[in-house]
Amino acid sequence: QKEVEQNSGPLSVPEGAIASLNCTYSDRGSQSFFWYRQYSGKSPELIMFIYSNGDKEDGRFTAQLNKASQYVSLLIRDSQPSDSATYLCALSGGSYIPTFGRGTSLIVHP
Amino acid sequence: SQTIHQWPATLVQPVGSPLSLECTVEGTSNPNLYWYRQAAGRGLQLLFYSVGIGQISSEVPQNLSASRPQDRQFILSSKKLLLSDSGFYLCAWANPGGEQYFGPGTRLTVT
C-alpha cells in the first residue's frame, strides 16, 4: 500500500525565516509529486508540482525531489503570516488515484 | 480557464435523511473526477473517482454512492445519513499530469 508520511507539526517559524516541510513516501514507482496548501476551513489549493529529481522554484516556493531517498520537500522563503496553513504532500504513480499525506501545520509568527 | 463548483456550501441534516451533493466542472472535457471527505482535523479520504460518464470506482465501502450523469457533473448521494457521515466533502478534477483542483467544498453536519 502506498504511504505518504508527513510530520503533523505544528511547525512554527518566525516571519522572514525559511520554512522547510518534508514528506517521505514508500512507493518507488511514484512519478509525480504535489504540494497543496489548505487554509483552515477551505479546500486544498495546488501550489507546486515536481516530476524530476532536483529543485523546482516558483517565487518564494522551492520543491525538492530525491527519488533515491524517497523524499520530497517544500521550502518557503521569507515566510509570511499569510503562509500559515496546512501543507499537504501528494503523489501519483501513473494510476488515477493520488495518495495524500495527512499534512503539516505551519504557523508563521510575526 | 477551468472552474469547479460545488453546492451547497453548508448543510445540516438529521440522521436517516437522504443526501445529494453536486459538483460541476467548466472549461475542460472528460476530466477525471473525485469525491473526498475530510473529517475534522484529519486527512483526505478518497471516496469515489470517475474516469468517464457512468464510470464510478468506489474506494471505501459505506452508505454513500456516486453518479456521473454528464461529462462534467459528479453527484454524491446517500439514502440514509449516519452521524459518522459528517465532514467536509470535496470534489476535485485532475488533468492528465495528475494535478488535482478542488472545489470549495460542502460542510455537512449530521445531527
Side-chain angles (χ1 to χ4, degrees), chain A residues 48 50 52-57 62-66 71 73 75:
Chain A
M48 290 286 287
I50 186 167
S52 304
N53 275 328
D55 295 0
K56 179 181 178 182
E57 187 174 319
T62 298
Q64 299 176 319
L65 174 60
N66 185 322
Y71 81 79
S73 61
L75 302 178

Side-chain angles (χ1 to χ4, degrees), chain B residues 60-72:
Chain B
V60 182
Q62 56 208 325
N63 68 321
L64 299 173
S65 62
S67 62
R68 185 170 177 175
Q70 300 180 40
D71 181 43
R72 288 169 285 181

Side-chain angles (χ1 to χ4, degrees), chain A residues 16-35:
Chain A
I18 296 175
S20 178
L21 304 160
N22 300 309
C23 170
T24 59
Y25 60 94
S26 61
D27 182 12
R28 288 192 173 273
S30 301
Q31 299 171 5
S32 307
F33 304 84
F34 311 93
W35 283 99

Side-chain angles (χ1 to χ4, degrees), chain B residues 70-83:
Chain B
Q70 300 180 40
D71 181 43
R72 288 169 285 181
Q73 184 184 31
F74 205 20
I75 297 172
L76 182 70
S77 303
S78 175
K79 292 182 179 179
K80 289 186 177 182
L81 284 169
L82 307 173
L83 284 174

Side-chain angles (χ1 to χ4, degrees), chain A residues 32 34 36 38 40-46 49 51 88 92 95-98 100-102, chain B residues 32 34 36 38 42-44 46 49 51 59 88 90 97-104 107:
Chain A
S32 307
F34 311 93
Y36 294 83
Q38 186 175 22
S40 180
K42 302 296 185 181
S43 60
E45 172 192 14
L46 179 68
F49 58 88
Y51 302 136
L88 305 172
S92 68
S95 73
Y96 300 115
I97 305 173
F100 281 83
R102 296 187 62 174
Chain B
N32 291 339
Y34 303 80
Y36 292 89
Q38 190 175 40
R42 306 290 295 274
L44 291 172
L46 179 62
Y49 70 94
V51 299
E59 288 298 299
F88 191 35
L90 292 157
E99 301 143 44
Q100 296 213 327
Y101 298 90
F102 290 83
R107 192 161 304 280

